[in-house]
Structure formats: C-alpha cells, structure tokens
Amino acid sequence: MRIHQTLFALGLIATPFSLSLGAATPASAAAQCPSGLVWAERWEGDTHCVSVSERNLNRRNRGLQPVGTVAKCRPGLVWAEEWEGDTRCVTVSERAVNRAKRGLQ
C-alpha cells in the first residue's frame, strides 16, 4: 500500500479522473472545495469536499493519521458530537441532544 501511495503522490499511477474526458483532476477538485473544506479521503483519490473533522474520521477509519487541525468553536459554542469525531460547532443544548441520542451523558 505504501508503494501505491508514493507512486500516486508522484503522479506515476493514473487517478480515476481523466483529462481526456474533461473531468476534474484531484488537484483541481481540491481547488474547487469551498474555504474550510478539504478532500474526504474515504479512499485513495477521493476528492469530495468535507469538513476537516470528517476527513480525519475517514483517515482514522482507513488506519491513517489525522491531518490538519480542527478550528476551535467561537465562545458559547461547542463541538456537535453527533458522531465520533464530529467537531462542527453548535449550541450546548444541541450537543446535549446529540450526546443523548448516542447514549452519552
């Protein structure tokens, strides 16, 4: 797997995107993510745009280390905790509802 990742990073392995078909390349797809969003990385070459926390959850699920940081919430807001690794910012009462749904205190 490491060799494949290295060759992919060097551009020596074709990606699922084809310039001849007019589809986006991974680099141009990332450039199209709105500010604050990154590639999902659910699999090698996945360039769907998601939050940093969702990308890091995807990476952990694949046995990879998280990359980047998650911004802190503004004062008065907390992480949503709707799922493991959910670091969207919500009100304290919304987080309490999310945690209760998951059976957490």
Side-chain angles (χ1 to χ4, degrees):
M1 186 63 152
R2 280 255 191 234
I3 293 172
H4 181 265
Q5 289 172 335
T6 301
L7 293 174
F8 181 83
L10 294 173
L12 299 176
I13 294 180
T15 66
F17 304 99
S18 171
L19 291 175
S20 64
L21 298 175
T25 63
S28 66
Q32 295 173 10
C33 284
S35 178
L37 298 180
V38 295
W39 291 354
E41 295 190 36
R42 286 180 296 255
W43 61 84
E44 187 77 31
D46 180 8
T47 56
H48 290 93
C49 298
V50 297
S51 68
V52 172
S53 60
E54 185 173 345
R55 188 256 323 263
N56 283 336
L57 178 61
N58 293 336
R59 288 181 60 83
R60 279 193 295 275
N61 289 339
R62 292 175 53 212
L64 302 173
Q65 290 293 318
V67 176
T69 58
V70 177
K72 294 181 180 179
C73 293
R74 294 186 317 221
L77 298 178
V78 294
W79 287 353
E81 297 186 33
E82 192 169 356
W83 62 84
E84 180 70 30
D86 180 11
T87 54
R88 295 173 297 123
C89 297
V90 297
T91 63
V92 173
S93 60
E94 187 175 348
R95 179 182 63 184
V97 169
N98 293 339
R99 289 179 59 81
K101 286 179 186 175
R102 293 176 57 208
L104 303 173
Q105 294 183 9

